[in-house]
């Protein structure tokens, strides 16, 4: 199944587009998404450690705008957002 | 009474006057206006401007949660609250956030205003990218959102 990850904050540096897209097995979880993003960073940014740190300290948000756990099962074509460490005001 | 909005700075600027109009009522004897503005220095670096990024839906959700918590945690029932945050590129001195609160008495107005800004810092998904000389820029480190479900 195809999954789109919407990028925010520091994760916007991962791509020129506003999102990343991955092919995942059915019943994949957020944990699998983290792994996929790290693999993508290894391939495209020579494993940039700062970028990996961002992924590991981020939470994720479901299409219906809830912060979700690493065990959350993603449904087909669901749009997920990555929420890196925040700091507004 | 609550007003919340994320303002795209390309469309309009944040306005203290609008905040004042919203919270103004003869019911309340105390009003506090807090505004955050873009500062010219951070971590010994000269800052030229800041780009704000926001997950708008989650931001509004967090503002509403913070407002509702004031009932339970702070026991401040009668209040008017206006919260707006900017997104997009802001120059030095431009306003990034306005929090206006009105309560019956000054004690609760001060407490509520401080509570709202501190909670926004902790949990509203907003990000800052600072811009420096020579087209250099960096996303500020920020604080991870704690997911209680994990």
């Amino acid at each position: 199944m195809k999954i789109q990850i919407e990028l925010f904050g520091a994760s916007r540096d991962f791509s020129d587009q506003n999102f990343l897209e991955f092919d995942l097995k059915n019943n994949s979880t957020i944990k699998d998404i983290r792994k996929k993003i790290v693999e993508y960073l290894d391939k495209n940014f020579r494993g940039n450690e700062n970028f990996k740190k961002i992924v590991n300290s981020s939470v994720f948000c479901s299409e219906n705008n809830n912060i979700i756990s690493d065990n959350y099962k993603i449904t087909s074509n669901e749009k997920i957002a990555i929420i890196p460490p925040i700091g507004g005001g | 009474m609550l007003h919340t909005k994320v303002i795209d700075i390309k469309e309009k600027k944040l306005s203290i006057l609008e905040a004042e109009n919203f919270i103004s009522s003869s019911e309340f004897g105390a009003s506090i206006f807090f505004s955050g503005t873009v500062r010219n220095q951070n971590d010994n670096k000269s800052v030229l401007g800041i780009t704000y990024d926001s997950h708008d839906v989650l931001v509004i959700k967090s503002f509403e949660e913070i407002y509702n918590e004031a009932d339970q945690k702070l026991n401040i029932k009668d209040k008017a609250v206006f919260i707006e945050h900017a997104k997009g590129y802001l120059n030095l001195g431009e306003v990034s956030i306005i929090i206006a609160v009105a309560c019956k008495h000054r004690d609760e107005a001060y407490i509520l205003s401080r509570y709202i800004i501190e909670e926004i810092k902790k949990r509203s998904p907003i990000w800052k990218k600072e811009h420096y000389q020579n087209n250099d820029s960096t996303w500020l480190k920020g604080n991870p959102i704690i997911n209680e479900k994990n």
Side-chain angles (χ1 to χ4, degrees):
Chain A
M1 58 180 181
K2 272 208 163 56
I3 298 295
Q4 241 185 49
I5 315 291
E6 216 179 336
L7 303 173
F8 288 95
S11 70
R12 286 194 186 274
D13 291 344
F14 297 177
S15 172
D16 293 335
Q17 293 177 302
N18 293 327
F19 61 90
L20 297 174
E21 202 170 65
F22 297 113
D23 252 325
L24 288 169
K25 288 180 192 155
N26 286 344
N27 290 323
S28 288
T29 62
I30 293 298
K31 210 172 169 180
D32 300 315
I33 293 256
R34 272 189 215 276
K35 217 172 138 190
K36 276 276 179 195
I37 301 176
V38 169
E39 281 168 17
Y40 163 87
L41 295 174
D42 278 338
K43 196 174 160 196
N44 295 282
F45 294 92
R46 294 178 183 182
N48 184 314
E49 285 303 323
N50 287 334
F51 283 4
K52 284 190 194 176
K53 263 186 208 159
I54 293 166
V55 177
N56 291 326
S57 54
S58 292
V59 293
F60 289 80
C61 173
S62 66
E63 193 160 334
N64 54 4
N65 298 304
N66 287 313
I67 300 293
I68 46 186
S69 78
D70 267 27
N71 297 322
Y72 177 91
K73 283 203 172 95
I74 303 147
T75 55
S76 187
N77 295 318
E78 188 169 358
K79 207 190 239 178
I80 301 285
I82 182 166
I83 309 291
I86 57 161
Chain B
M1 205 166 65
L2 173 68
H3 164 92
T4 60
K5 209 168 185 180
V6 176
I7 304 276
D8 186 339
I9 210 69
K10 281 183 276 184
E11 287 162 22
K12 76 187 273 280
K13 289 186 188 239
L14 275 65
S15 157
I16 284 279
L17 195 63
E18 281 177 30
E20 195 175 1
N21 287 339
F22 182 80
I23 64 165
S24 167
S25 161
S26 54
E27 248 185 88
F28 304 121
S31 303
I32 308 267
F33 295 88
F34 170 85
S35 69
T37 51
V38 178
R39 199 176 59 236
N40 66 359
Q41 280 259 327
N42 192 28
D43 280 342
N44 296 322
K45 283 185 184 168
S46 283
V47 177
L48 302 178
I50 294 180
T51 299
Y52 285 85
D53 189 18
S54 149
H55 187 300
D56 296 2
V57 179
L58 281 187
V59 167
I60 295 300
K61 208 171 155 184
S62 70
F63 289 171
E64 288 168 354
E65 279 169 11
I66 292 165
Y67 173 84
N68 290 327
E69 276 170 18
D71 276 2
Q72 291 121 36
K73 285 192 179 170
L74 308 174
N75 200 25
I76 301 172
K77 307 277 181 212
D78 301 318
K79 58 191 177 297
V81 174
F82 177 103
I83 312 172
E84 287 191 349
H85 204 297
K87 70 170 183 182
Y89 181 84
L90 271 72
N91 287 304
L92 296 181
E94 287 192 304
V95 178
S96 58
I97 183 169
I98 292 176
I99 298 167
V101 306
C103 298
K104 285 191 170 170
H105 307 288
R106 68 181 183 283
D107 276 358
E108 36 188 26
Y110 275 115
I111 289 167
L112 181 59
S113 173
R114 185 70 196 258
Y115 180 77
I116 292 170
I117 184 62
E118 297 306 330
E119 290 301 313
I120 287 173
K121 291 263 184 197
K122 273 189 247 168
R123 60 168 125 155
S124 299
I126 298 165
W127 299 271
K128 289 182 198 180
K129 187 184 206 177
E130 282 184 347
H131 299 273
Y132 316 109
Q133 304 284 355
N134 307 321
N135 278 333
D136 195 13
S137 64
T138 190
W139 289 99
L140 296 190
K141 214 173 159 201
N143 303 305
I145 287 188
I146 296 156
N147 183 7
E148 285 157 6
K149 288 175 194 159
N150 269 338

